[in-house]
Amino acid sequence: MTAALSYRLVIRSLPWLTIGLLSLPVFSGLAGALAPAFGWLPALGGEQLSLAPWRELARVPGLNDMLRLSLVSGLGSAAISLAVVVLFLGSFLQSPVYRRLRRWLAPLLAVPHAAAAIGLAFLLAPSGWVMRILSPWLTGLDYPPDFAFPGDSWGLALILGLVIKEVPFLLLMSLAALVQCRADERMTVARSLGYPPLTAFLKTVMPGLYPLLRLPVYAVIAFATANVEVAMILGPTTPSTLAVAVVGWLHDPDLTTRFMASAGALLQLLATLAALLGWWLMERLVVRLSRGWWQDGRRHCGERGWALVARWAMRLVLGLMLLALAGLALWSVAGYWPFPQSLPWPPTLGNWQNAADGLLSPVAQSLAVALGATLLSLVLVLGSLEAETLRRRPLRPGAQLILYLPLLVPSVAFLFGLVMLQAQLGQQPGLLAVILGHAVFVLPYLFLSLAESYRRLDPRWAQQARSLGAGPWRVFMGVRLPMLLAPILTAAAVGFAVSIGQYLPTLLLGAGRVETLTTEAVSLASGGDRRLTAIHALLQLALPALGFVLALLLPRLLFRRRRGLLLSH
Amino acid sequence: MATLHLDNVQIHQGQQLLLSLDTAIAPGEIVTVMGPSGVGKSTLLAYIAGFLSPAFQASGQVRLDDTRLDTLPAEQRHLGLLFQDPLLFPHLDVEGNLAFGMRRDGRSGERRERIRAALASVGLEAFARRDPATLSGGQKARVALLRVLLSAPRAILLDEPFSKLDAALRDEIRQWVFERVRDHHLPTLMVTHDEADARAAGGRILTLSAA
Amino acid sequence: MRHTRGLLLAAMLAVPGIGQAFELSEWSTVTEAASGQTVYWSAWGGDSRVNGYIDWVAEQVDARHDIELVHVKVGDIAETVSRILAEKSAGNKREGATDLMWINGENFAAMKERDLLYGPWAEQLPNFPLTAPEQNPEVREDFTLPVEGYEAPWGRAQITFYHDSARVAEPPRNMPALLDWARENPGRFTYPKPPSFFGTSFLKQALLGLTDSPEVLYEPVDDADFEAVTAPLWRYLDQLHPHLWREGQDFPAGGPKMRQLMGDGELSLAFTFTPTAPAAGVLDHQLAPSTRSYYLGEGTLGNVHFVAVPFNAQHKAGALVVANFLMSPEAQAHKQDLSVWGDATVLDMSRLSAEQQQRFEPEGRAAASLPPQNAGTLLREPHPSWIEPLESAWRQRYGSQ
């Protein structure tokens, strides 16, 4: 009885703890942005509510362009990524190409956004790798040409940079969803009725798959409209995206700009919400328009053309990512490497040797924070999911929304308020604060990655175990956890990678006392030395990649004689 | 052995009465509940075993002699439940699956000896350390029943237990299962839509019809 | 007298969180209080040379004063200002997480105005007289604002142009020549986007070189006719922009990005605030060995950079001891060494012994890339009130195209 009671107490309280951990920082953080946006910030002499910050914001030259750029790059990159993923899955789901790609997914996900962007920028810039390889024998150039890419005013480079990161993410999210919506059965039935793969996929799998992909897609849109690091590296400057401008205002030495910056942060939140709303409306429209198409019996939709497009788009995405990483690897061993040399010659290990001394502590701290935040999030997520089995229904929509809040609310909008909350609670900056702060961002991704596998587990396993006399703890620890070990480890690896990549929460909540690979990388990147930046970016990538490898290998090792487990995942 | 009583059991879904049942099952007796799919046969078993979904409301009592079961948590009811899938835990070997349901009392050597004997009784003594995924359908079914029996149940609930077996195998396993539950003098409730199951059980047949 | 001070000390010690009772006028009480403290120094972490120098400082103050110095590396000091603001908003008055910060004139003006700095203290540091403030007034003003002891000088910066001599034989030496040069070499020069520090500095440099009445720039902007004074600047930029890198449609984010573009060969002319930075860039394989530096003939903007202590620093005594060490002849000489950092000293050589002076002699490596000694006329920074109007006028004209 006591065991059952402790189980109920613990499991029922974990969802509340989860909701608290997520909503307290986000809401108090937002309040911290809301007040200055309306003129209230006594520390800067703002002791009267007013609309002045908004009027000032409205007068910012090019504000419309900033908004347009944020929306276009956000929605555009999400739409392109989703299209590539859907066309690819549709054309190759039941072919060896798809199985080969699955193996590449995890390492691709491990690449931090900033590293991918820096690599891509080097690849495509006028003095970049592509131009170096083509010069001077083809272009006749001894010095780089002057064209505006990346940083083009259309934001194409920015969209490209976002797409190469989002495609692997959406693919990973599709893996679980495809199993859940029984894609293989749907495909088999449709194909036996004479539908070729892509049409079969679009007409029978998509209607079941998309609802499961919706939240990840929303997360992608929110990230793409509000991200700072990719837009700073690949986006245009006159004007920049709204998020980049807001960070600029927050960093303005003239402290009165902070009021307008807060208004800008809230505008960013509104812009993200508007993007989500726009996407949702498009969803409705597409569903309405395709209803008839699903059942009109037509068997073709330009299969061959689309399959070709999908294959090449996927190759382009993977190729750009790999070349970007290869470029970084070369820079890490480069001495002086002028245009148009295509390879740094002679290569040197000097950069690595110089950097090596200072790397031990950041690596150790990155590991400590990432493991701490991942473990904490894992406990809370498992608790929340276990509570669903206890109540036998999924979390309420409101609670689900809170779970994804940190993904949907741009972090520029609430991080300042978060630091204020930390100071108010008298919480010392340091490792613990950083771990808690990271958990806010790690937890939603962990939940996103794990929820479907957890909910999909046949409830009869638990019923069988309980009818054999096992109490709830034993069912949880002895049946559910081991059976779900593979997806749990994969989700943990995703969370780990998210934590490794965090910059602002680490810096602000740790007051700089927690020095991770990412804080090092970002501060060094501000110095513009590509050699050091490359070294840190590669290490930043190595840690999460290691996590993904472990997540892949551990279950295989532990369950090497348990075919039933390995086949199901 | 005790008698399993179902006293005035009624299960509602919202306002609608799904089924009602009032019977007692003696030790060694096999009662078959039949009815078309969708009539609530599995819901009845879920209620007795303690897994009724909150979408349903139940009234009445489930008793083993004088012990009331419907107020106990599932794991304390000691009702052996057998599904149509053998549901052998894929992360444990055959021995681990059998040990999972056994009481903790006794030395581990004794437990292992009982498992060995149980496996030997069905000719599977060489399979103790095998991955359940490598067993044949018939072997899985036998291990699943052994697991239930070793957990020392006081009654057995069978949920369409043979419907996924090959026709050739079905009859053999059926006879084997019924023999065992009779040998153990366990009151047994089986739900099925297969009349052959009911005939083979040879006991009372209750038919549920759509309310 | 002695008695009351003892009481005061006792009272201060009784307040939780204050273990650092000290009297500025009696330096020994400061070093005593500082001993055993951990000092968190927020400083830009983008340059491995600067980082290496700060590591050396940490070793020194640990050995000399038993102070643990932690370099809090930031990409932008504004991130630290944010934290201090948040602490002030939350009522954290004496347990701030930042003890020492490296700031520029704009940050200083804003923070001092908002009472976010601790002070005055700088002129009481034992090493302060070595700067000979009477002869060198620039150590007492930051962007023309009187420092009043709220920050301590620790280095000098001056706008220095550099070019790749393999591509540019004769670089432009004043603003009009720069325009002609850009016309002949389209796409090979640019400046960072204001309001970044480098971008705004370029605007001020150009304005000083183009206006007929530079003296009004040293008075508050409200006293001047902004439109009339700045008109030559906008005329100039209108002409210059079409010949800039990416035709002036896109600007690098800051000085480091500009150096990267030089290294990549996209630019062949750029500028920096650290006269020795191009030479250091050659040593670090970031710039071509043929890189040369020079000052503009009309003089270039120069300023002193400082360290300050936030109002709520938890380890003020330790921070002051570190600031004092930074001004010591030893630390200044080490900093000026091109193989370490190359940042110019704020000390006046006349106040140093012959032996101390010797340490400041330049070394031979990459010396060809150094600007000629003493050839640069130093222009003082304009009044800080000009910055905001300049930046917002620039944004209005070129910020959105």
Side-chain angles (χ1 to χ4, degrees):
Chain A
M1 190 64 204
T2 46
L5 193 68
S6 75
Y7 169 84
R8 266 167 192 275
L9 275 177
V10 170
I11 295 300
R12 276 187 192 269
S13 60
L14 283 175
W16 291 107
L17 269 175
T18 307
I19 285 170
L21 177 78
L22 295 181
S23 54
L24 182 73
V26 175
F27 284 123
S28 64
L30 276 179
L34 203 62
F38 291 95
W40 183 266
L41 186 58
L44 286 181
E47 293 177 346
Q48 224 166 14
L49 291 181
S50 86
L51 286 175
W54 291 93
R55 281 196 291 271
E56 204 186 327
L57 182 65
R59 281 198 303 268
V60 167
L63 187 67
N64 289 335
D65 293 328
M66 292 177 189
L67 275 170
R68 181 185 50 78
L69 197 61
S70 295
L71 291 177
V72 168
S73 62
L75 288 172
S77 64
I80 293 172
S81 308
L82 184 65
V84 170
V85 167
V86 166
L87 287 178
F88 181 83
L89 287 178
S91 306
F92 301 108
L93 182 61
Q94 293 178 322
S95 81
V97 182
Y98 171 67
R99 283 192 287 279
R100 275 205 301 276
L101 179 80
R102 281 176 59 162
R103 265 179 265 150
W104 284 95
L105 263 187
L108 285 179
L109 272 172
V111 182
H113 280 97
I118 291 171
L120 192 67
F122 167 65
L123 195 61
L124 301 176
S127 56
W129 211 12
V130 173
M131 284 308 285
R132 285 173 194 240
I133 288 169
L134 300 180
S135 302
W137 60 274
L138 183 65
T139 61
L141 293 169
D142 290 316
Y143 291 110
D146 185 24
F147 57 78
F149 194 90
D152 58 295
S153 58
W154 292 89
L156 295 179
L158 172 57
I159 290 177
L160 191 64
L162 291 168
V163 166
I164 66 172
K165 273 299 293 171
E166 285 163 2
V167 165
F169 174 69
L170 286 180
L171 266 178
L172 182 81
M173 291 292 130
S174 318
L175 289 188
L178 282 170
V179 182
Q180 199 202 357
C181 70
R182 298 173 178 270
D184 261 327
E185 288 171 28
R186 292 175 189 230
M187 284 291 270
T188 308
V189 171
R191 290 183 68 180
S192 70
L193 292 172
Y195 286 84
L198 182 62
T199 317
F201 186 85
L202 292 177
K203 290 194 172 190
T204 64
V205 180
M206 258 322 259
L209 179 66
Y210 186 77
L212 302 174
L213 271 188
R214 184 179 280 127
L215 265 171
V217 168
Y218 286 6
V220 161
I221 295 170
F223 176 83
T225 49
N227 89 90
V228 174
E229 61 266 60
V230 181
M232 206 123 77
I233 296 163
L234 297 173
T237 57
T238 56
S240 57
T241 64
L242 182 61
V244 171
V246 169
V247 170
W249 298 330
L250 274 175
H251 285 181
D252 200 304
D254 179 6
L255 293 176
T256 46
T257 315
R258 302 256 161 168
F259 293 101
M260 183 178 85
S262 295
L266 290 183
L267 183 64
Q268 174 65 59
L269 175 60
L270 294 178
T272 298
L273 290 178
L276 291 174
L277 183 72
W279 183 274
W280 182 78
L281 288 173
M282 284 301 292
E283 259 175 34
R284 304 287 94 187
L285 191 69
V286 169
V287 169
R288 177 155 297 191
L289 291 180
S290 21
R291 278 250 159 76
W293 182 71
W294 289 339
Q295 43 201 312
D296 69 358
R298 251 184 271 168
R299 301 290 199 265
H300 292 282
C301 62
E303 304 280 334
R304 281 158 189 266
W306 286 120
L308 210 63
V309 168
R311 189 186 278 261
W312 280 100
M314 194 55 80
R315 280 188 184 159
L316 187 72
V317 165
L318 299 186
L320 282 175
M321 184 68 104
L322 290 178
L323 284 175
L325 294 181
L328 287 181
L330 285 180
W331 269 110
S332 78
V333 296
Y336 177 57
W337 184 12
F339 189 88
Q341 288 182 9
S342 2
L343 289 173
W345 205 259
T348 164
L349 283 177
N351 305 321
W352 284 93
Q353 280 159 358
N354 290 342
D357 287 344
L359 287 177
L360 200 64
S361 149
V363 169
Q365 302 221 37
S366 295
L367 281 176
V369 170
L371 289 176
T374 306
L375 208 64
L376 173 64
S377 308
L378 198 57
V379 168
L380 292 175
V381 166
L382 285 174
S384 304
L385 289 168
E386 183 67 13
E388 290 187 357
T389 70
L390 188 64
R391 296 194 210 136
R392 298 194 220 189
R393 58 170 171 69
L395 284 175
R396 288 198 185 84
Q400 296 243 24
L401 189 67
I402 286 178
L403 220 45
Y404 296 113
L405 216 51
L407 299 191
L408 301 181
V409 179
S411 49
V412 287
F414 72 89
L415 273 172
F416 175 76
L418 197 57
V419 177
M420 234 164 84
L421 176 77
Q422 183 196 14
Q424 247 149 12
L425 295 177
Q427 216 235 1
Q428 279 296 316
L431 205 59
L432 181 67
V434 173
I435 287 176
L436 287 173
H438 277 214
V440 171
F441 296 92
V442 168
L443 202 149
Y445 279 104
L446 240 163
F447 195 90
L448 209 55
S449 317
L450 190 55
E452 287 317 322
S453 307
Y454 209 95
R455 290 171 182 161
R456 208 170 66 219
L457 189 70
D458 192 332
R460 291 180 311 164
W461 289 110
Q463 294 176 3
Q464 183 72 74
R466 292 192 70 184
S467 72
L468 289 170
W473 278 123
R474 194 155 165 238
V475 173
F476 178 61
M477 312 286 258
V479 176
R480 265 198 209 103
L481 288 192
M483 287 190 70
L484 290 167
L485 186 69
I488 287 174
L489 287 178
T490 305
V494 171
F496 184 81
V498 169
S499 167
I500 292 287
Q502 295 295 322
Y503 173 65
L504 271 183
T506 319
L507 184 82
L508 290 178
L509 295 172
R513 294 174 188 193
V514 178
E515 198 181 47
T516 65
L517 274 177
T518 299
T519 59
E520 286 284 285
V522 173
S523 68
L524 279 170
S526 74
D529 185 347
R530 251 198 222 110
R531 294 157 194 80
L532 284 173
T533 311
I535 286 174
H536 280 84
L538 290 175
L539 282 172
Q540 239 186 314
L541 177 163
L543 285 187
L546 205 67
F548 279 110
V549 169
L550 279 182
L552 207 67
L553 289 187
L554 263 183
R556 275 165 207 261
L557 201 70
L558 291 173
F559 296 135
R560 64 186 176 284
R561 292 186 54 238
R562 300 285 175 265
R563 254 183 349 154
L565 264 184
L566 295 179
L567 289 179
S568 56
H569 299 293
Chain B
M1 278 296 151
T3 300
L4 180 65
H5 297 267
L6 304 174
D7 301 340
N8 286 319
V9 169
Q10 289 198 330
I11 299 181
H12 286 82
Q13 187 171 26
Q15 297 298 314
Q16 198 194 355
L17 177 67
L18 205 60
L19 59 90
S20 80
L21 196 67
D22 184 58
T23 189
I25 307 171
E29 184 186 7
I30 301 174
V31 170
T32 304
V33 174
M34 291 206 57
S37 54
V39 79
K41 301 189 299 286
S42 293
T43 310
L44 174 66
L45 282 199
Y47 166 65
I48 300 171
F51 305 117
L52 192 65
S53 146
F56 300 98
Q57 303 83 39
S59 61
Q61 288 191 358
V62 180
R63 285 185 295 116
L64 267 170
D65 285 351
D66 292 331
T67 318
R68 197 164 162 192
L69 294 187
D70 53 299
T71 52
L72 288 176
E75 65 271 18
Q76 288 169 27
R77 297 189 185 188
H78 299 293
L79 297 174
L81 184 59
L82 215 52
F83 290 102
Q84 55 184 326
D85 293 309
L87 295 179
L88 298 178
F89 297 124
H91 58 293
L92 302 174
D93 57 15
V94 168
E95 187 181 284
N97 265 284
L98 295 181
F100 186 95
M102 290 170 69
R103 299 272 184 110
R104 294 255 188 164
D105 47 7
R107 288 180 299 108
S108 70
E110 260 170 54
R111 282 157 55 93
R112 190 161 298 148
E113 181 51 35
R114 287 183 57 205
I115 291 172
R116 204 197 56 74
L119 282 173
S121 74
V122 293
L124 289 174
E125 58 267 63
F127 287 70
R129 308 308 301 267
R130 281 280 284 273
D131 177 357
T134 63
L135 302 186
S136 73
Q139 290 166 336
K140 284 182 192 168
R142 285 176 221 261
V143 174
L145 183 71
L146 283 186
R147 180 172 66 177
V148 166
L149 292 177
L150 281 174
S151 74
R154 291 191 283 179
I156 296 280
L157 304 173
L158 303 173
D159 189 357
E160 311 244 11
F162 315 114
S163 60
K164 284 218 174 154
L165 293 172
D166 296 343
L169 204 57
R170 195 178 301 160
D171 216 37
E172 184 193 333
I173 298 284
R174 197 150 49 198
Q175 291 309 331
W176 182 78
V177 168
F178 293 154
E179 254 169 50
R180 303 272 149 168
V181 298
R182 285 199 188 100
D183 283 355
H184 284 75
H185 295 287
L186 294 167
T188 300
L189 180 67
M190 171 169 71
V191 305
T192 181
H193 64 272
D194 185 349
E195 299 210 4
D197 283 348
R199 275 197 306 272
R204 277 186 290 145
I205 297 176
L206 309 171
T207 305
L208 293 179
S209 54
Chain C
M1 186 65 202
R2 229 191 135 70
H3 183 63
T4 39
R5 195 154 82 205
L7 267 182
L8 194 70
L9 258 170
M12 288 175 82
L13 283 170
V15 180
I18 302 194
Q20 51 181 44
F22 58 84
E23 283 286 317
L24 257 180
S25 54
E26 233 171 278
W27 186 247
S28 63
T29 63
V30 181
T31 50
E32 232 166 77
S35 175
Q37 286 189 335
T38 300
V39 173
Y40 293 96
W41 182 7
S42 244
W44 182 61
D47 188 328
S48 54
R49 296 171 149 261
V50 180
N51 296 348
Y53 175 70
I54 293 179
D55 287 346
W56 175 84
V57 172
E59 286 166 24
Q60 297 295 316
V61 295
D62 184 29
R64 289 159 195 245
H65 303 288
D66 188 24
I67 289 173
E68 191 189 342
L69 179 66
V70 179
H71 180 191
V72 174
K73 292 174 189 147
V74 292
D76 191 316
I77 196 67
E79 289 151 9
T80 304
V81 179
S82 284
R83 186 166 181 102
I84 296 169
L85 262 185
E87 286 172 353
K88 187 176 182 191
S89 302
N92 177 343
K93 293 196 176 105
R94 52 173 87 96
E95 286 174 26
T98 311
D99 298 313
L100 192 65
M101 53 197 299
W102 176 17
I103 56 179
N104 69 38
E106 277 181 277
N107 295 124
F108 175 70
M111 291 187 74
K112 185 159 175 251
E113 191 190 347
R114 308 287 176 183
D115 296 326
L116 293 172
L117 294 179
Y118 163 72
W121 52 271
E123 305 209 351
Q124 274 98 311
L125 298 185
N127 285 331
F128 184 74
L130 298 180
T131 61
E134 301 77 26
Q135 287 91 330
N136 303 293
E138 66 272 18
V139 300
R140 277 187 167 148
E141 61 169 44
D142 197 357
F143 282 34
T144 74
L145 273 189
V147 166
E148 292 170 345
Y150 278 81
E151 53 178 2
W154 77 299
R156 273 174 201 279
Q158 183 174 8
I159 289 189
T160 309
F161 280 73
Y162 59 102
H163 61 102
D164 183 352
S165 63
R167 299 170 66 179
V168 181
E170 194 44 51
R173 301 210 173 244
N174 58 42
M175 280 294 150
L178 177 63
L179 178 56
D180 294 336
W181 183 90
R183 283 205 181 99
E184 285 160 29
N185 302 277
R188 298 303 177 194
F189 176 74
T190 186
Y191 60 93
K193 184 186 174 191
S196 78
F197 185 62
F198 277 70
T200 307
S201 297
F202 179 80
L203 296 185
K204 291 186 284 188
Q205 173 74 39
L207 183 56
L208 281 166
L210 294 166
T211 182
D212 302 325
S213 45
E215 63 286 349
V216 299
L217 297 176
Y218 295 95
E219 302 298 328
V221 68
D222 295 340
D223 302 344
D225 181 352
F226 181 80
E227 292 296 323
V229 174
T230 58
L233 173 66
W234 310 125
R235 253 198 321 274
Y236 179 84
L237 291 182
D238 285 342
Q239 291 174 301
L240 179 67
H241 277 191
H243 310 295
L244 289 183
W245 178 73
R246 298 191 171 180
E247 296 173 354
Q249 304 285 316
D250 192 18
F251 293 86
K257 174 71 185 170
M258 206 161 48
R259 180 174 59 191
Q260 198 182 72
L261 291 172
M262 275 294 281
D264 289 340
E266 295 195 24
L267 302 180
S268 54
L269 174 70
F271 61 92
T272 170
F273 245 105
T274 314
T276 54
V282 172
L283 281 182
D284 295 347
H285 307 300
Q286 297 194 60
L287 294 174
S290 48
T291 303
R292 299 289 177 271
S293 327
Y294 67 100
Y295 301 112
L296 294 185
E298 62 216 35
T300 49
L301 270 186
N303 57 46
V304 169
H305 47 102
F306 295 82
V307 289
V309 179
F311 78 102
N312 63 349
Q314 195 175 357
H315 311 109
K316 295 195 177 80
L320 300 191
V321 172
V322 172
N324 186 53
F325 174 74
L326 290 176
M327 264 198 274
S328 68
E330 215 177 333
Q332 289 278 310
H334 194 69
K335 179 160 66 80
Q336 190 167 305
D337 185 345
L338 188 56
S339 65
V340 178
W341 176 2
D343 191 46
T345 182
V346 290
L347 302 186
D348 191 304
M349 288 301 132
S350 69
R351 298 294 170 99
L352 303 182
S353 68
E355 192 194 338
Q356 285 172 329
Q357 285 181 31
Q358 221 167 21
R359 293 187 177 184
F360 288 84
E361 295 295 319
E363 306 266 330
R365 290 172 70 214
S369 299
L370 286 171
Q373 295 264 328
N374 304 322
T377 316
L378 196 77
L379 297 180
R380 286 168 60 224
E381 287 279 353
H383 192 272
S385 61
W386 285 82
I387 292 175
E388 214 285 311
L390 271 178
E391 288 171 351
S392 85
W394 188 92
R395 205 178 297 165
Q396 209 72 43
R397 282 162 191 271
Y398 311 114
S400 168
Q401 294 169 349

